[in-house]
Amino acid sequence: MAKTWLITGVSSGLGRLLAEKALIRGDRVAGASRSEGALPDLRARYPERLRIVAMDLKDQSSVRAAVDRAFAASARIDIVVSNAGYGLLGAAEEAGDAQVRDIIDTNLIGSIALIRAALPHLRSQGGGRILQVSSEGGQIAYPAFSLYHATKWGIEGFVESVAQEAAPFGIELTLVEPGPARTGFGGNLARTKPLAAYEGTPAGRIREALGGSWVIKGDPERMTDAMIRLADQHGPLPKRLVLGAEAYAGIRRTLGGRIEELDRQKDVAVAADFTDEELARL
């Protein structure tokens, strides 16, 4: 049965690929972009099944209005994909105040606004699915990406909580965590103004590596195929979908190290509670 999608960041990268694949298989797509003129080629090929809604993720009223328009134009939207966002390369100290505000407004507050705007519509139609595109950087962290990680770790906590709140209404949420992929993400990175003090440090070395011959193994075609299979999946959705061998290895290594560190602190953690005898006297 054909589905209807609402996809943000539809003008490029994973968002465009996902929209195109959905349209090819006969689904309907409401694509959100900063311009209603986005995707002219796809609109020409699928005039009856592709609709573009203008949305500025940094303006919460714009997000709500765009989501309301998308749902009003469709009998039902089955899958909401919160995909839009960008990266900021540079040490936290190097970032300007405007850069900090911009990435948080776009990646974190914009994604929160989208999900909040979709929830009442999904409730009223009896359920639906939300795929929040996060990143391997929602569970691990690299130097020189601190502000990007702040947005991804933030949205991961938000989605984990909302998934529990929305479950009684038949609404499922999954965090999609791609590793590095051959999209335009790297070329579209915003950059801080480098400080000489960070040359030769972990942050500086990351900056240098991204300007070199780093081999990116992630295939956006395969990643979007996996997202479509997830959206079609019968039965409960997983909390997370990790995409890419590097993402899998990095997340597994990080989680293992975190558990080892936690276990080393068990005695300290337990000792911070009242004892049973003390509780009995309180």
Side-chain angles (χ1 to χ4, degrees), residues 38-271:
L39 303 184
D41 56 327
L42 293 182
R43 283 189 287 115
R45 283 159 53 191
Y46 305 103
E48 301 300 321
R49 291 191 285 112
L50 173 61
R51 173 186 174 87
I52 302 296
V53 290
M55 177 187 294
D56 180 358
L57 278 176
K58 292 188 290 184
D59 180 348
Q60 295 187 62
S61 63
S62 169
V63 174
R64 286 192 295 270
V67 170
D68 289 347
R69 290 197 304 274
F71 274 90
S74 305
R76 176 185 176 90
I77 291 180
D78 303 285
I79 308 118
V80 176
V81 183
S82 176
N83 164 72
Y86 70 97
L88 175 62
L89 173 64
E93 183 185 354
E94 297 172 338
D97 291 349
Q99 289 181 308
V100 174
R101 172 53 61 188
D102 189 72
I103 195 168
I104 291 174
D105 281 348
T106 302
N107 289 11
L108 179 55
I109 297 177
S111 296
I112 289 173
L114 177 77
I115 291 171
R116 291 184 65 237
L119 285 173
H121 296 285
L122 296 173
R123 275 195 302 104
S124 67
Q125 69 182 23
R129 290 176 164 178
I130 299 174
L131 308 186
Q132 171 63 55
V133 178
S134 177
S135 161
E136 62 167 358
Q139 294 205 65
I140 62 180
Y142 298 105
F145 281 97
S146 51
L147 290 161
Y148 176 73
H149 289 306
T151 65
K152 293 305 181 182
W153 285 55
I155 198 61
E156 294 231 350
F158 176 78
V159 168
E160 278 219 28
S161 179
V162 172
Q164 298 170 68
E165 297 167 0
F169 307 109
I171 303 169
E172 298 178 281
L173 291 89
T174 291
L175 289 152
V176 180
E177 298 175 334
R182 296 195 178 195
T183 64
F185 179 84
N188 292 328
L189 283 172
R191 295 172 184 264
T192 62
K193 185 177 180 180
L195 294 174
Y198 285 92
E199 291 180 9
T201 70
R205 287 192 291 272
I206 286 284
R207 198 194 321 265
E208 292 170 7
L210 290 178
S213 56
W214 180 35
V215 178
I216 298 176
K217 297 171 63 177
D219 180 0
E221 294 281 352
R222 289 180 170 91
M223 289 180 173
T224 47
D225 286 343
M227 292 172 69
I228 288 176
R229 287 194 298 272
L230 178 73
D232 288 344
Q233 179 176 311
H234 295 291
L237 295 187
K239 289 182 179 179
R240 287 174 170 82
L241 176 69
V242 177
L243 298 174
E246 289 185 15
Y248 174 83
I251 291 172
R252 194 175 194 282
R253 182 171 58 250
T254 297
L255 292 178
R258 200 170 293 154
I259 290 173
E260 289 176 3
E261 184 177 50
L262 176 66
D263 287 344
R264 287 195 298 270
Q265 298 177 11
K266 179 180 179 181
D267 291 343
V268 176
V270 172

